[in-house]
Amino acid sequence: AQKITQTQPGMFVQEKEAVTLDCTYDTSDQSYGLFWYKQPSSGEMIFLIYQGSYDEQNATEGRYSLNFQKARKSANLVISASQLGDSAMYFCAMREAEYSSASKIIFGSGTRLSIRP
Amino acid sequence: DSGVTQTPKHLITATGQRVTLRCSPRSGDLSVYWYQQSLDQGLQFLIQYYNGEERAKGNILERFSAQQFPDLHSELNLSSLELGDSALYFCASSLLAGEVDTQYFGPGTRLTVL
């Protein structure tokens, strides 16, 4: 069965430092997609970045990059030059059967990131 | 703003009651997903609709049902409500035209069952 594990319940980071949020996954599918979402205290879920299992390059979106290590089944989120507004809950998610219109998505338990000024 | 709208934002009701949550996907998106976020269960996928048809089911209780209408908006119906149904309910949408695509979430409906 597919599973997403986020082992860091909470993290404190100094402003302007880079931060890595860990995510490991388990799936028997060859084709899948990995996502990161941010949930600020206001509650909305904000899409950050996506990585497909066949993508050879690590995904990047502005200050966000995804360190994808397929053999280790890890998809860590890296935030460069952290800002106070990055304080939020971060969720890693996976969708199996990447090209299927009927695939399910599961989420990890999340990491609460707090940025110190 | 993701372009996905959900109403109402907040809902307070009593045990045993029935409520309907509404979601309008982003313009052009054909797929709608429903999620439940509670403190003890985390974020759980409930159900997916694609162009009016049910496509995938997750941990959705039998007391819950959903549908997607011809204009692509979706409704999630929760009946015989229990205290444990109190949660934040998200709707998300995606284009899903046979390609990999991203889900964009609405602001959520916070349901409180007293």
Side-chain angles (χ1 to χ4, degrees), chain B:
Chain B
D1 186 352
S2 66
V4 179
T5 59
Q6 288 187 250
T7 55
K9 275 195 95 166
H10 302 276
L11 200 47
I12 301 174
T13 188
T15 54
Q17 294 298 305
R18 173 191 166 96
V19 296
T20 297
L21 312 184
R22 183 188 166 102
C23 168
S24 292
R26 292 188 319 159
S27 177
D29 283 0
L30 300 175
S31 214
V32 168
Y33 307 76
W34 285 98
Y35 294 88
Q36 179 195 58
Q37 186 178 30
S38 60
L39 283 174
D40 54 344
Q41 300 276 351
L43 253 168
Q44 301 257 335
F45 165 72
L46 296 178
I47 197 164
Q48 175 200 0
Y49 279 82
Y50 175 68
N51 206 18
E53 292 185 4
E54 181 185 305
R55 279 303 179 97
K57 237 175 179 175
N59 303 322
I60 188 166
L61 299 171
E62 284 193 15
R63 300 184 285 108
F64 296 1
S65 65
Q67 54 183 327
Q68 186 179 28
F69 295 86
D71 67 351
L72 300 177
H73 91 271
S74 177
E75 291 180 357
L76 179 68
N77 299 297
L78 315 175
S79 61
S80 302
L81 285 167
E82 301 174 0
L83 295 177
D85 297 328
S86 295
L88 188 53
Y89 290 84
F90 284 108
C91 164
S93 76
S94 66
L95 177 60
L96 209 59
E99 304 170 9
V100 169
D101 57 2
T102 299
Q103 294 185 16
Y104 292 91
F105 280 70
T109 292
R110 185 167 296 280
L111 174 67
T112 303
V113 182
L114 300 175

Side-chain angles (χ1 to χ4, degrees), chain A residues 58-84:
Chain A
N58 284 343
T60 60
E61 290 283 350
R63 293 186 300 113
Y64 304 108
S65 60
L66 200 152
N67 184 2
F68 181 46
Q69 297 188 40
K70 195 170 181 177
R72 298 176 68 177
K73 293 191 173 178
S74 76
N76 298 340
L77 177 70
V78 180
I79 306 174
S80 63
S82 57
Q83 302 171 355
L84 295 178

